[in-house]
Amino acid sequence: MTIYSKAQECADFIKKHSSAFVVSHIDADGLTSAAIIGKALERIGIDYDIRFVKQLDSTALAGIADNNAELVIFTDLGSGMLDAIKTLKLNAVISDHHQPRGVHEYHLNPHLFGLHGATEVSGSGVTYLIATSLGNNSDLADLAIVGAVGDLQHMKNGQLIGINRQILEDGAKTGVLHYEKDLLLFGKQTRPIFKLLQYSSDPYLPGISGSEDASIEFLKKIGIRQHGEKWRRWIDLEPVEKQQIVSALFQFCLSSGMPATSVQRLIGEVYTLLREREGTEVRDASEYSTLLNATARYDHADIGLAVCMGDRGKSYDEASTLLNEHRKNLVEGINLVKEQGTIRMEHLQYFDSGNKIRETIVGIVAGMCTSFVRHDVPIIAFADTDGGVKVSSRGNYDLIRKGLNLGNAISEAARSVGGTGGGHDIAAGAFIPREAKSEFLKILDSRIGSQIR
Ligand code: C5P
Ligand code: C5P
Ligand code: ZN
C-alpha cells in the first residue's frame, strides 16, 4: 500500500458519512489542514463543524467524544493518541504527520510509509492527499504548501522535498503556486527592506539584527537608496539591487566568521500564491503562515480559518492587527532569552520563561533562538500554563544524524512524570505537572544522552 492508496481509503470511508466533526491543531499547519478538508467536504455536500485544540490530551478527547459526531476527522494531530481514540470507540479518520503511537484503521501518516513527517509532508499535505481523493481539489495545493512552510519543512534542504514537492508541482500545474530561489529573509512582500535585516534571526546578523540604524546603514553603504522618505519593499527592488544586497550579505556573514552552512540559509526556495494580491502577507507562503500563527496561537483560530477560507475583508484586517502583536511578542521573547541566556546540562540547554512568554509561542521563540545559542545540544524551553508547565524543544540536523529524536525523548520523559508529549525528531513539546520540572529535566537529559551516544 502507498500513502496515496491509503489516502483514497480514508476518502472512501469519509464519503460514507453525511456529516463530520473536524478537530485540528492551533497553528498554521492545523488551520490550513482544517480549511483543506472543510472545502473538500463542502464541495461534496458533507456537513462539517471545526474545532481547534491546543493539544489532544485525554480531556480534549473526552470533550470531543461527548459530541457524538457521526464521524471525527483529526487533522495535524491524533497520531500520538491512537489508542485513546480507539478506546473511546470514535468513528475516526486521523490525518497527521507526528510520530505515531499505537495503531488505527483510518490513520494516514507519512511515518507508516517510510516517509519523514518533519520534512516530506505536513498535516496540511496529508490532508490534501485525502482532499484530492475526495474530488477535484488540486487548487487547494496553495494552502497545503502554506502549512508545510509554517512547519518549516523547507528548511532542512532549502526547498520542499518528497510529497511536499509533488504537491508543489500540482499547484504549479494548476496555476496557484510559483516557486523560485530568492532571499529567505522574512517579509519580502510587505516590509520595507531594512526590516528584513533588522528582524533576521536565521541567520542572526551580528551587529545588524535587532538594530534599525545598523540595518539602514548597511543598505546605504552598498548604495541602496530610499525613494524620497520611503524605503521600498524587496518586491519593489530592481534585480541588480537584489543581487547587490545578497552578495553584500554573503560577504558580511562570511567575514564575521559564520559557518558556511548558516550563510547558505540566506538563500532558498520561496513560494508565491499566485491568486493573492502582490504586496500582501498571503502572497508569500512564509508570511501567510506567520499571519495564521498570529491568530490561532492567540485564541483566534476562527479568524485564521476565515482567512484560509478566502475572507480578504474583515477577518483579514483582524488577522493583520493580531500579526503586529505577534511580531512584538516574538521580538520580546527572543530578547528575553538573549538577556537571561540558557542553562546548560550535560546533553541539553534550557530556559524557563515563566509567565513572560505565552505557552503557545514559546516553541517558535525557542526555534528562533537556535541561531544564537550553542549548537552542540538541543534547546528546551518552559512556559507556565494553567495547571502545569508547557515544554518546547528544538534540535538541529547535525544532532539528528547523531541519533537525536526529541519526539521520543520528550514523550518518554513526560510520561514518566505524569505528563504527555510528542512531536518530531527535530521539534517536540509536552505538558507536565509544575512540580515535576527538575525530575523531567533529569530524565530528558539522560534520554537525549543515550540517543546521541
Ligand atoms: O505541530 P507541528 O508538527 O505542526 O509543528 C512542527 C514544528 O516543528 C514547528 O513548530 C516547526 O517550527 C518545527 N520544525 C523545526 N525545524 C524543522 C522542521 C520543523 O523547528 N526543520
Ligand atoms: O509546541 P511546540 O511548537 O514546541 O511543538 C513542537 C512539536 O511538538 C509540534 O509538532 C507539536 O505538535 C508537537 N507537540 C506534541 N505534543 C505536545 C506538544 C507539542 O506532539 N503536548
Ligand atoms: Zn503540523
Side-chain angles (χ1 to χ4, degrees), residues 25 27-30 76-77 96-98 116-119 121-123 147-157 293 297 363-364 366-368 370 393-397 400 423-428:
H25 193 206
D27 68 357
D29 192 26
D76 194 33
L77 41 71
D96 189 11
H97 67 131
H98 292 99
H116 187 218
T119 52
V121 68
S122 62
V149 169
D151 271 8
L152 304 182
Q153 300 217 324
H154 60 311
M155 292 309 279
K156 184 184 174 194
N157 301 75
N293 279 324
R297 292 182 186 265
I364 303 181
M368 294 175 110
T370 53
S393 65
R394 296 293 185 272
N396 58 56
Y397 285 102
I400 287 173
H424 309 284
D425 51 8
I426 184 98

Side-chain angles (χ1 to χ4, degrees), residues 25 27 29 54-57 76-77 80 96-99 151 297 359-364 366 381 390-394 407 410 414 419-424 426-432:
H25 193 206
D27 68 357
D29 192 26
K54 210 155 45 179
Q55 84 155 354
L56 193 66
D57 51 21
D76 194 33
L77 41 71
D96 189 11
H97 67 131
H98 292 99
Q99 291 177 168
D151 271 8
R297 292 182 186 265
E359 49 139 326
T360 50
I361 65 161
V362 73
I364 303 181
K390 166 72 198 296
V391 188
S392 275
S393 65
R394 296 293 185 272
I410 287 261
T420 50
H424 309 284
I426 184 98
F431 283 89
I432 57 167

Side-chain angles (χ1 to χ4, degrees), residues 32 139-147 149 168 171 175-179 189 270-289 292 307-308 312:
T32 49
D139 62 312
L140 304 179
D142 55 0
L143 286 174
I145 295 308
V146 170
V149 169
L168 178 65
V176 298
L177 283 168
H178 171 75
Y179 56 90
Q189 288 287 330
V270 302
Y271 307 99
T272 306
L273 282 78
L274 295 175
R275 288 183 291 185
E276 303 295 344
R277 200 152 55 85
E278 246 192 282
T280 61
E281 275 86 9
V282 288
R283 177 84 175 177
D284 173 82
S286 175
E287 291 197 60
Y288 196 154
S289 70
L292 296 179
V307 171
C308 291
R312 296 292 172 270

Side-chain angles (χ1 to χ4, degrees), residues 54-55 350-355 357-360 362 380-392 410 414 417-421 429-438 440-441:
K54 210 155 45 179
Q55 84 155 354
Y350 72 92
F351 67 88
D352 188 343
S353 68
N355 59 7
I357 302 178
R358 213 182 151 92
E359 49 139 326
T360 50
V362 73
I380 317 298
F382 295 97
D384 292 348
T385 159
D386 290 348
V389 181
K390 166 72 198 296
V391 188
S392 275
I410 287 261
V417 299
T420 50
F431 283 89
I432 57 167
R434 194 172 307 262
E435 62 284 359
K437 193 185 128 189
S438 50
F440 171 81
L441 273 170

